[in-house]
Amino acid sequence: MQKGAKKTDSGIDIKKVYTNKDLPENLNGDLLPGEFPYTRGVQADMYRGKLWTMRQYAGFSTAEESNKRYHFLLGQGVMGLSVAFDLPTQIGYDADDALAEGEVGKVGVSICSLEDMEILFKDIPLDKISTSMTINSTAFILLAFYVALAKKRGIALDQLAGTIQNDILKEYAARGTYIYPPKPSMRIITDIFEYCGLHLPKWNSISISGYHIREAGSTAVQEIAFTLSNGKAYVQAAKEKGLDINVFGKRLSFFFNAHNNLFEEVAKFRAARKIWAQMMKDLGATDEKALMLRFHTQTGGATLTAQQPLNNISRVTIQTIAAVLGGTQSLHTNGYDEALGLPTENAASIALRTQQVVAFESGIPDSADPLAGSFFVENLTNEMEEKALALIKQIDEMGGSVSAIENGFMQNKIAESAYAYQKAIESKEKIIVGVNEFQSENAEKIPIMRINEAIRIAQIEKIKKLKAKRDENKVIACLKNIKEIASSTNNLMPSVIEAVEQNCTLGEIAGVLRTVFGEYQA
């Protein structure tokens, strides 16, 4: 283990001690939470007024099994649902497609039709809870399912609250669940912005994600720089479509990762708010709600270890504290067993209890931005801001995020950081407890949740029954209409909602658009 010089995980030098001489020269000591540029938080009283939303991410196997888990979580005190979809659903294939074999229900729930969506949310009041859906290339179809379900239940659309991730740029840069090339993908996203602006006033039409950028190996600085650059690209695309930045800007949300380097993570969240507020102001936003960076946080999946998995409870606790001290609006805490498989009920329950202990026992939420004025944290916030802005400037000089992704800039930077981090672990410059130091020969026996391959057979049978009873002429007409709309400049959303109401499947809709837009090849 190296001693002496210390750095954050982003490579920022850490001094042995900080004094008032280290406070940034431009620091406004009178700045309050709820005041531009919102470094100290987007609300004046933060958690004294309302706690963050405790939103546990879940979805596996069938809609029936996931529905049971949602009722369990709601019974444990979860305030909002967060849906994980399986890989075929994410990339536009029904469970009966040959390309779906081996993946149905594995990393999330399989949703192929409106019927599946009805089962997924059985006995859950859509007008009383908020729902977040981690879905990107097929986000418009899942949103259509949700809207169609609400209409079927007689729920007014202006009562629906929630978020779709809908962030395709980070898929090209870090994650890979894309379907269509960037240009048509951006068109679909701005169609969603427009539709939500007209019909879903409480719905966040995008959650611009740094989470997956960090999971791919980026530093904290890169996480906010690349994420905010992507956000800028979406805003510019929406403005080019003629949308009002003061309207759609209020429904933009962000999704960040929380790692173990406590003070760097807090500084990251504070710097991100400050950068985004100024960025939106420069882009023409004047409504203060459109200037505020609101974000969901998930504890770092990549920080979890398969070795000594119970240690992950401690890691998740540190990350929870970082997110809360950093001013998150909602939070998911990972289960201690997620380096081994999907979280069991026991692990999910402990993860939620971690949030509740921080909320009700730690005293951390009692004061807004309690680390403000810390010589170290204010200095680190300033350093994070400067380094992130330098990266953003580089991306702007390339022509923005789309160009930076197309020329491999973001991907290469992430790969370099991931490599450097792994080297640091292997050399023991970076200690990971239970992995490269403090190992134990006695392996802990942790129950692992496994998904049965029979799920795909059951899903295929459901699709067969659905297709046997639906009106095929209406299905053909709806899919033809989607194809025609896709070839025009009209908004896609109404035609997709009509199609799912006529029991067109996710795979059919995504497939029709493949014939119009083509598929992206990295």
Side-chain angles (χ1 to χ4, degrees):
M1 190 192 314
Q2 289 189 354
K3 299 186 184 297
K6 298 287 184 182
K7 294 178 182 288
T8 70
D9 289 343
S10 292
I12 297 171
D13 290 322
I14 301 174
K15 294 170 65 173
K16 195 160 43 175
V17 67
Y18 288 77
T19 70
N20 60 350
K21 294 176 183 176
D22 296 297
L23 290 173
E25 290 180 11
N26 61 353
L27 179 68
N28 179 358
D30 296 327
L31 180 70
L32 295 173
E35 293 180 353
F36 181 88
Y38 314 106
T39 313
R40 300 196 60 193
V42 294
Q43 292 147 337
D45 56 358
M46 287 303 290
Y47 306 129
R48 283 175 72 114
K50 181 187 177 186
L51 285 173
W52 64 93
T53 300
M54 299 179 194
R55 188 188 299 281
Q56 288 302 103
Y57 186 47
F60 57 91
S61 181
T62 60
E64 290 88 346
E65 289 302 313
S66 293
N67 177 263
K68 289 177 188 175
R69 176 63 65 89
Y70 296 154
H71 281 287
F72 167 76
L73 290 170
L74 289 167
Q76 296 294 305
V78 154
M79 302 170 184
L81 298 177
S82 186
V83 185
F85 298 96
D86 72 357
L87 191 58
T89 303
Q90 292 182 50
I91 54 176
Y93 295 111
D94 291 331
D96 61 353
D97 195 292
L99 292 173
E101 188 172 352
E103 290 294 341
V104 176
K106 288 291 177 69
V107 298
V109 61
S110 173
I111 300 293
C112 305
S113 67
L114 179 56
E115 279 192 358
D116 284 337
M117 204 69 159
E118 288 183 75
I119 296 166
L120 187 67
F121 290 100
K122 184 182 178 185
D123 298 327
I124 293 173
L126 303 188
D127 53 344
K128 300 280 194 307
I129 58 104
S130 67
T131 301
S132 174
M133 294 188 274
T134 302
I135 194 74
N136 297 283
S137 56
T138 55
F140 65 106
I141 305 174
L142 272 300
L143 179 60
F145 284 146
Y146 201 80
V147 166
L149 177 58
K151 287 169 69 177
K152 196 170 182 179
R153 290 188 183 177
I155 297 169
L157 299 188
D158 62 6
Q159 295 304 302
L160 298 181
T163 305
I164 42 172
Q165 192 162 102
N166 196 28
D167 173 9
I168 202 65
L169 290 178
K170 66 93 177 48
E171 296 297 329
Y172 303 121
R175 191 161 175 264
T177 65
Y178 45 71
I179 302 175
Y180 315 112
K183 193 172 180 182
S185 293
M186 293 293 276
R187 175 261 174 100
I188 293 171
I189 286 168
T190 55
D191 279 0
I192 293 169
F193 285 4
E194 183 178 50
Y195 178 83
C196 290
L198 292 171
H199 303 286
L200 300 171
K202 293 183 179 180
W203 195 269
N204 297 321
S205 51
I206 193 168
S207 176
I208 305 156
S209 175
Y211 183 85
H212 302 97
I213 290 170
R214 192 67 178 279
E215 289 291 287
S218 82
T219 64
V221 165
Q222 289 167 346
E223 180 187 355
I224 57 171
F226 296 163
T227 305
L228 299 185
S229 286
N230 289 348
K232 187 176 185 179
Y234 293 126
V235 171
Q236 289 169 328
K239 286 182 69 180
E240 286 167 12
K241 192 179 176 73
L243 303 183
D244 185 346
I245 191 171
N246 285 318
V247 176
F248 73 78
K250 289 186 279 192
R251 303 318 305 173
L252 303 177
S253 66
F254 287 82
F255 174 26
F256 289 119
N257 209 311
H259 270 227
N260 291 329
N261 196 312
L262 178 67
F263 295 109
E264 181 172 53
E265 293 301 296
V266 174
K268 176 187 78 177
F269 297 131
R270 298 174 90 247
R273 273 193 298 269
K274 186 178 179 184
I275 295 169
W276 182 250
Q278 189 59 55
M279 190 181 281
M280 285 294 277
K281 192 173 184 179
D282 293 344
L283 288 164
T286 54
D287 189 309
E288 67 171 17
K289 295 285 187 186
L291 299 171
M292 294 177 177
L293 183 147
R294 297 166 299 113
F295 65 98
H296 170 72
T297 308
Q298 181 173 338
T299 57
T303 69
L304 303 178
T305 64
Q307 301 93 328
Q308 301 177 24
L310 291 176
N311 293 346
N312 294 328
I313 297 173
S314 299
R315 294 184 178 103
V316 169
T317 302
I318 292 168
Q319 294 159 14
T320 299
I321 291 169
V324 174
L325 287 171
T328 193
Q329 275 60 66
S330 69
L331 178 61
H332 163 86
T333 34
N334 290 329
Y336 65 82
D337 56 359
E338 289 189 57
L340 301 168
L342 291 169
T344 58
E345 273 195 7
N346 178 58
S349 181
I350 291 172
L352 176 60
R353 294 289 180 254
T354 301
Q355 291 199 52
Q356 291 165 337
V357 168
V358 171
F360 298 108
E361 298 184 30
S362 73
I364 293 170
D366 293 347
S367 178
D369 193 25
L371 292 183
S374 156
F375 304 143
F376 179 36
V377 171
E378 294 291 3
N379 182 283
L380 194 50
T381 300
N382 197 58
E383 288 257 26
M384 296 287 286
E385 179 190 5
E386 287 180 0
K387 290 185 181 299
L389 284 172
L391 261 180
I392 291 167
K393 184 182 177 185
Q394 274 187 275
I395 292 166
D396 285 343
E397 288 169 351
M398 293 174 197
S401 276
V402 174
S403 297
I405 289 165
E406 286 177 341
N407 70 26
F409 174 78
M410 286 191 192
Q411 298 93 312
N412 290 338
K413 286 288 186 186
I414 293 168
E416 288 167 10
S417 296
Y419 177 67
Y421 189 78
Q422 186 59 36
K423 273 184 68 179
I425 292 171
E426 289 176 7
S427 68
K428 292 195 177 184
E429 180 184 344
K430 178 80 178 172
I431 298 299
I432 307 296
V433 175
V435 176
N436 62 355
E437 195 67 87
F438 313 114
Q439 295 105 322
S440 172
E441 292 181 7
N442 300 320
E444 298 165 53
K445 291 183 179 178
I446 301 291
I448 301 173
M449 181 185 290
R450 302 191 187 279
I451 303 300
N452 196 312
E453 290 291 342
I455 286 163
R456 182 173 185 244
I457 298 166
Q459 276 294 88
I460 291 171
E461 196 56 38
K462 281 166 69 177
I463 294 169
K464 279 182 184 175
K465 288 179 181 177
L466 176 74
K467 290 182 176 180
K469 68 181 182 183
R470 68 186 185 178
D471 187 326
E472 282 302 313
N473 290 327
K474 287 182 179 177
V475 167
I476 291 166
C478 285
L479 294 175
K480 183 183 177 186
N481 186 39
I482 289 173
K483 189 171 184 177
E484 289 171 356
I485 296 289
S487 301
S488 73
T489 57
N490 294 332
N491 194 302
L492 269 168
M493 283 302 299
S495 63
V496 176
I497 292 167
E498 182 185 8
V500 302
E501 288 175 331
Q502 295 301 326
N503 290 316
C504 293
T505 69
L506 174 134
E508 289 171 331
I509 295 167
V512 163
L513 292 179
R514 278 183 169 95
T515 67
V516 180
F517 299 146
E519 292 190 64
Y520 177 70
Q521 301 296 322

